[in-house]
Amino acid sequence: MNKPSDAVDAPSHTILLVDDNPTNLSVVVDYLAEHDFQIVVARDGETGLRLARQEQPDLILLDVLLPGMNGFEVCRRLKADERTQEIPVIFMTIVTKAEDKVRGFEAGGVDYITKPFQHEEVLARVTTHLCLRNLTRRLEEANESLERRVAERTTALSQANQELQAEIAERIRTEAALKRERSLIANIMETSPVSITVVNHEGQVTFANSQAEKVLGLVKDEITQRTYNAPTWRITDFTGGPVPDEKLPFQQVMATQQPVYDVQHAIEWPDGHRVFMAINGAPILDESGQVESVVFAVQDITKHKHAEAEIRQLNQRLEQRVADRTAQLKAANKELEAFAYSVSHDLRAPLRHIDGFLELLQQRINGSLDERSRHYMTIIFEAARRMGQLIDDLLAFSRMGRDEISKAPVNLGALVQEVIGELEPEMHGRSIHWQIAELPTVTGDRVMLRLVLINLLSNALKFTRGRVPADIEIGCETYDKETIIFIRDNGAGFDMAYADKLFGVFQRLHPADEFEGTGIGLANVRRIIERHNGSVWAKGQINQGATFYFSLPQITQPIQEMQ
Amino acid sequence: MIEALKHILLVEDDPKDIELTLTALEEYNLANEIVVARDGVEALDYLYRQGKFEKRPIGYPVVILLDLKMPRLDGVQVLQQIKADEQLRLIPIVVLTSSRESRDLEECYRLGANAYVVKPVRFTEFIEAIRQIGGFWVLVNEPPQIG
């Protein structure tokens, strides 16, 4: 007996036997059971179909002649149902007609066993078909697994492909960006007004932008086209003197591996002309950290240097001119001083003599003089005295312009009180209504400011003569940068048409016999205030009073040291 | 040798001023005791009894009235020399000048002037000033004993 091949071996195979003949059944069942097959039996086609679906046997032995549905029909149905179509069907029949066999194969059977059964034949056919079935299954499985693996591989490949595509796209993008950047750098290099060069560690120029080619006269080496011919100039200091090697920017960067900034040198061309340069340099390191080359940015500062020199020269010239002018002014001032000194001595003496000898003359002949002669003598006296007064005033005015100003805090409120006290004799018997605001402390020359107040207040008193009461107001307006003081009266006033004459030397707007004075007072006021960097002005109207203003630059704090 | 009487040395170059000064002193009957030097050189000649004053009587003035603006040696230079001299520096000096300039005033006092009088323009005031100077320095003040 042949043992079934290992393909039919365990696990034991299930065989569905569809036959209505109990004799047949028992023969086949017994025999197959002996060979470790599981046998499921169906007595008709319907049951066979149901069991085939339920049990999923490995093989079906199908009798052709069945009650009801015959074997071919059962086979066709089995093959039409996808749950059962793969199960091999072997027909069992006693009929050996050729057309039956054809019908059987047409219905989907794989083989025939004819009755009466030859046991060996049954076993051989069953085993063969099971084996075939197994092989088919394995093949299918192998095929499936192969397909699965192909699919997996395809997936993996397509994924790899996608990744590759992405990488390629990325590279294209990167390359484009790189290209743009390169073009940007190239454009910057070519349009830069700064000369840019790269010098390798051996001192050879390996790159020069067009400005560098132009300014530094660098020419590409004819042979290599990669390096530049050594320039024909040499580096010097600003005066053309040699620069020691260790001071050269290239050497500095090589030695320190650090950048250098604004190293200033000149380069001297063979024809002797010098160009001034400001140089920045930075090392480019290789992977091992050694200086591979040095990048230089070189700026031509020749114009700069020339302009600087020119400015220096202009400044010197200007300073010289200021000094000259100052010297001239000093000389003029000295002359003026000498003049004033001479006036002081020499103009006064003749006046004294006129007055003196006139007095002596008068003493001698007074008794014999008639009315008119005495009148003439009086006029001569008065003229001489007036002349003396004018000279004194003029000298005082000139002194006001020459004397040094000694600036210190001056409490204007206190100063006003002091001046009013001094002017007391002029107020005798008069009704004067003073209105004095709080006045600040200013910075100035106390003696001179006192004179300003004396002049302005005595003017106010003088020109309010005849007013009952005389109103005199002293006020103050304080601003960020200046303090304005004003003195307002209700006196004779003046015509604004002549306002600009008020502060002139010996200018008078009123007849001398009405209001006495030489006309020097306001000129002094203006000179003093202007020497304090302030200004003076006035407003008035004939017979409506006048207001005199003067401003002083604000230097100290106002209104604190008030009385 | 005859010793000079109590007298005044007037150092003044202007004859009109000399005349006015003498006229003023006449009123005090002091005119006779005035010696006039016409500039700084003469003043020093007088004080050192040299030149045209070689033969003058011994003795020093009780006061020197000194003008500032003079030919040759001016008043400030004279003042300087007198005050630099151990003996002469004791003689009181009144600067009598037309100058009201503060720098003159300051310099004279710094050099040791004993008084500084500005000649008034008005004669009546001038006479009054001279009378006071003469009255004070000749009649009131006790001069130093020199030599």
Side-chain angles (χ1 to χ4, degrees):
Chain A
M1 277 283 304
N2 281 345
K3 283 284 281 177
S5 75
D6 60 349
V8 198
D9 244 351
S12 69
H13 291 85
T14 305
I15 294 172
L16 172 63
L17 191 63
V18 188
D19 198 338
D20 61 330
N21 185 328
T23 315
N24 281 345
L25 278 173
S26 65
V27 172
V28 176
V29 169
D30 290 347
Y31 178 72
L32 289 177
E34 275 173 35
H35 287 85
D36 273 349
F37 291 104
Q38 299 282 323
I39 307 295
V40 178
V41 176
R43 295 294 184 104
D44 55 57
E46 289 294 337
T47 312
L49 285 172
R50 184 171 50 80
L51 287 173
R53 284 198 298 273
Q54 272 175 14
E55 302 296 326
Q56 289 287 309
D58 297 297
L59 185 82
I60 298 172
L61 291 176
L62 182 59
D63 192 15
V64 174
L65 295 172
L66 287 171
M69 198 188 302
N70 68 20
F72 301 128
E73 183 54 31
V74 172
C75 188
R76 267 195 294 275
R77 288 197 183 184
L78 282 170
K79 295 298 162 189
D81 187 336
E82 67 177 14
R83 285 168 292 184
T84 52
Q85 66 185 2
E86 298 294 331
I87 307 169
V89 177
I90 299 174
F91 285 106
M92 298 179 293
T93 181
I94 45 168
V95 187
T96 49
K97 285 190 223 162
E99 63 267 33
D100 276 358
K101 286 187 182 174
V102 172
R103 281 181 70 192
F105 286 120
E106 277 172 0
V110 293
D111 208 350
Y112 261 93
I113 308 170
T114 45
K115 296 176 184 173
F117 300 125
Q118 284 294 127
H119 281 165
E120 285 75 13
E121 189 195 345
V122 171
L123 187 62
R125 288 192 188 272
V126 165
T127 307
T128 301
H129 283 287
L130 277 174
C131 191
L132 261 175
R133 164 94 174 121
N134 261 338
L135 281 173
T136 308
R137 272 202 186 146
R138 278 202 193 170
L139 208 61
E140 276 169 1
E141 270 171 22
N143 206 30
E144 259 173 40
S145 140
L146 200 65
E147 268 173 24
R148 209 168 42 245
R149 280 174 61 196
V150 167
E152 275 171 15
R153 192 89 187 106
T154 307
T155 311
L157 273 174
S158 92
Q159 203 175 340
N161 199 34
Q162 267 175 13
E163 276 166 21
L164 209 61
Q165 292 286 348
E167 207 178 307
I168 288 168
E170 179 63 34
R171 276 190 192 194
I172 288 170
R173 269 200 302 279
T174 309
E175 204 150 300
L178 214 60
K179 223 175 184 173
R180 274 201 304 280
E181 219 151 278
R182 257 193 215 138
S183 134
L184 180 71
I185 290 172
N187 277 324
I188 290 172
M189 290 288 189
E190 288 317 291
T191 52
S192 171
V194 175
S195 303
I196 297 167
T197 61
V198 177
V199 179
N200 70 11
H201 64 280
E202 288 170 337
Q204 274 179 315
V205 179
T206 56
F207 171 83
N209 69 349
S210 55
Q211 183 70 6
E213 288 180 2
K214 203 163 72 192
V215 173
L216 301 175
L218 292 169
V219 181
K220 264 194 183 144
D221 189 283
E222 278 174 19
I223 300 157
T224 64
Q225 285 292 309
R226 293 181 68 89
T227 58
Y228 288 79
N229 287 329
T232 52
W233 39 259
R234 64 189 186 93
I235 293 185
T236 69
D237 62 18
F238 286 158
T239 56
V243 178
D245 272 359
E246 69 271 16
K247 295 264 181 182
L248 293 175
F250 176 72
Q251 302 292 356
Q252 281 188 51
V253 175
M254 289 303 289
T256 61
Q257 304 207 346
Q258 295 296 319
V260 292
Y261 297 103
D262 200 28
V263 180
Q264 297 196 356
H265 288 309
I267 61 173
E268 192 180 271
W269 294 83
D271 67 3
H273 91 272
R274 269 196 297 278
V275 180
F276 301 119
M277 300 287 176
I279 303 159
N280 288 357
I284 297 174
L285 305 181
D286 61 17
E287 293 82 358
S288 62
Q290 295 300 305
V291 180
E292 181 186 85
S293 46
V294 182
V295 182
F296 286 111
V298 182
Q299 199 160 14
D300 186 341
I301 54 168
T302 311
K303 278 184 191 161
H304 219 79
K305 284 281 160 195
H306 285 163
E308 244 173 49
E310 208 168 314
I311 287 169
R312 231 189 340 265
Q313 213 169 18
L314 282 174
N315 258 349
Q316 274 170 2
R317 233 179 286 162
L318 206 64
E319 267 167 34
Q320 186 54 48
R321 278 177 62 188
V322 168
D324 288 352
R325 192 91 190 101
T326 308
Q328 277 172 13
L329 281 173
K330 268 190 185 156
N333 212 31
K334 240 197 162 94
E335 255 169 52
L336 197 70
E337 231 173 284
F339 170 74
Y341 188 73
S342 158
V343 165
S344 167
H345 278 273
D346 299 342
L347 251 53
R348 227 197 302 253
L351 287 173
R352 203 169 52 245
H353 300 152
I354 292 168
D355 193 88
F357 288 103
L358 198 61
E359 179 72 37
L360 291 174
L361 181 64
Q362 199 181 26
Q363 281 171 16
R364 290 181 77 90
I365 60 168
N366 203 20
S368 59
L369 282 182
D370 61 11
E371 183 77 9
R372 179 159 290 202
S373 301
R374 275 203 296 278
H375 172 64
Y376 292 159
M377 289 195 76
T378 308
I379 288 176
I380 298 171
F381 269 126
E382 278 176 2
R385 276 162 206 167
R386 179 149 187 85
M387 179 91 187
Q389 189 60 51
L390 286 171
I391 289 169
D392 282 351
D393 284 354
L394 198 57
L395 285 173
F397 177 68
S398 139
R399 253 201 311 278
M400 217 52 71
R402 289 179 283 131
D403 283 359
E404 292 276 324
I405 290 187
S406 55
K407 285 192 176 174
V410 177
N411 182 335
L412 280 183
L415 197 58
V416 162
Q417 292 305 328
E418 191 182 312
V419 167
I420 289 174
E422 188 172 324
L423 296 173
E424 199 75 53
E426 294 179 32
M427 301 177 222
H428 193 68
R430 292 183 54 188
S431 160
I432 297 161
H433 178 230
W434 292 96
Q435 191 184 332
I436 304 171
E438 288 200 338
L439 297 176
T441 292
V442 296
T443 299
D445 186 307
R446 191 172 192 283
V447 175
M448 289 190 177
L449 291 179
R450 190 169 189 279
L451 200 61
V452 166
L453 290 173
I454 285 183
N455 273 306
L456 294 177
L457 290 180
S458 71
N459 268 1
L461 284 170
K462 183 161 67 182
F463 291 101
T464 53
R465 210 181 285 150
R467 296 281 192 277
V468 183
D471 286 322
I472 301 176
E473 182 191 351
I474 305 171
C476 148
E477 293 163 20
T478 305
Y479 300 98
D480 278 357
K481 295 206 170 140
E482 58 177 10
T483 299
I484 295 173
I485 306 291
F486 64 85
I487 290 142
R488 181 174 293 140
D489 65 54
N490 62 340
F494 62 90
D495 185 344
M496 276 303 274
Y498 305 114
D500 58 327
K501 287 194 168 179
L502 274 177
F503 297 95
V505 178
F506 296 144
Q507 291 285 354
R508 296 174 46 82
L509 297 185
H510 297 276
D513 54 0
E514 202 176 318
F515 296 107
E516 71 288 351
T518 55
I520 200 79
L522 290 177
N524 266 333
V525 167
R526 180 168 75 178
R527 179 163 273 191
I528 290 168
I529 295 301
E530 283 179 354
R531 290 198 68 195
H532 281 78
N533 300 319
S535 52
V536 288
W537 65 99
K539 288 178 190 165
Q541 220 180 325
I542 289 174
N543 286 325
Q544 302 287 310
T547 308
F548 285 86
Y549 301 84
F550 66 88
S551 69
L552 290 170
Q554 186 72 265
I555 302 172
T556 50
Q557 69 295 340
I559 317 181
Q560 276 169 4
E561 306 173 27
M562 291 312 307
Q563 292 187 322
Chain B
M1 288 246 201
I2 310 153
E3 179 146 357
L5 296 166
K6 256 184 155 186
H7 64 284
I8 297 169
L9 176 62
L10 173 65
V11 189
E12 171 67 79
D13 64 317
D14 189 327
K16 294 184 281 296
D17 271 330
I18 294 170
E19 194 177 338
L20 287 176
T21 309
L22 289 178
T23 306
L25 288 172
E26 261 172 22
E27 309 225 336
Y28 249 108
N29 295 319
L30 291 170
N32 292 337
E33 287 144 42
I34 302 270
V35 177
V36 177
R38 301 296 296 272
D39 60 33
V41 176
E42 271 192 20
L44 291 176
D45 279 352
Y46 178 83
L47 293 171
Y48 287 117
R49 294 179 74 232
Q50 58 192 26
K52 76 177 197 183
F53 295 105
E54 199 178 4
K55 303 238 166 65
R56 77 157 175 89
I58 298 171
Y60 293 105
V62 292
V63 65
I64 300 170
L65 304 183
L66 182 64
D67 188 21
L68 288 183
K69 197 151 182 277
M70 291 182 297
R72 300 205 281 178
L73 218 53
D74 70 21
V76 171
Q77 289 169 304
V78 172
L79 182 61
Q80 216 164 1
Q81 290 213 14
I82 290 172
K83 291 301 176 185
D85 185 294
E86 275 304 312
Q87 286 205 333
L88 300 184
R89 62 189 286 198
L90 298 177
I91 306 170
I93 295 177
V94 175
V95 175
L96 192 59
T97 175
S98 300
S99 169
R100 220 181 271 279
E101 292 290 298
S102 53
R103 69 166 187 192
D104 282 337
L105 194 119
E106 278 165 27
E107 188 167 23
C108 288
Y109 276 119
R110 200 173 51 246
L111 290 173
N114 300 75
Y116 189 101
V117 177
V118 178
K119 296 172 188 170
V121 169
R122 296 184 69 168
F123 186 60
T124 46
E125 289 167 20
F126 180 75
I127 284 177
E128 188 52 33
I130 296 297
R131 274 161 49 127
Q132 283 188 18
I133 293 166
F136 177 78
W137 290 103
V138 179
L139 304 176
V140 179
N141 189 49
E142 198 63 48
Q145 299 298 314
I146 303 170

